[in-house]
Amino acid sequence: MSTDKIFEALASMPRRQILAYLSEQELPAGDIAARFDMSAPAISRHLAVLENAGLIAGERRGQFVIYKLIPDSLVNTLTQFAFEICPVAGPIKRESKKAKKAAS
């Protein structure tokens, strides 16, 4: 995994927000896209950049692709720490945690 790919992935606010959403639960691409005001192809490109950087993994389940964080990534570990203090990602992470609880 290239450091340049990781920094490229983290340079985008939407990609950092996607990481925050995935910090608490696995989500299908459609659920991720529903949280943004952008086209499905744009979301797919963001997901591809994150996957190419080794930060997330997509798994086909039936007709859906479910995305999750790769937990043993040092970058994701550091990002999780940063989410706790980030004024943008912190609320997104808390929203994701509530949604996970509501779904179970």
Side-chain angles (χ1 to χ4, degrees), residues 8-28:
E8 177 188 342
L10 295 176
S12 163
M13 174 68 82
R15 289 193 286 268
R16 291 191 306 271
Q17 290 174 327
I18 290 169
L19 291 174
Y21 283 123
L22 295 175
S23 68
E24 291 296 326
Q25 62 181 329
E26 299 176 354
L27 290 170

Side-chain angles (χ1 to χ4, degrees), residues 4-5 10 12 15 20 31 38 40 63 72 87 92:
D4 288 340
K5 288 181 182 179
L10 295 176
S12 163
R15 289 193 286 268
D31 286 5
M38 64 178 74
Q63 61 183 358
D72 57 351
I92 292 172

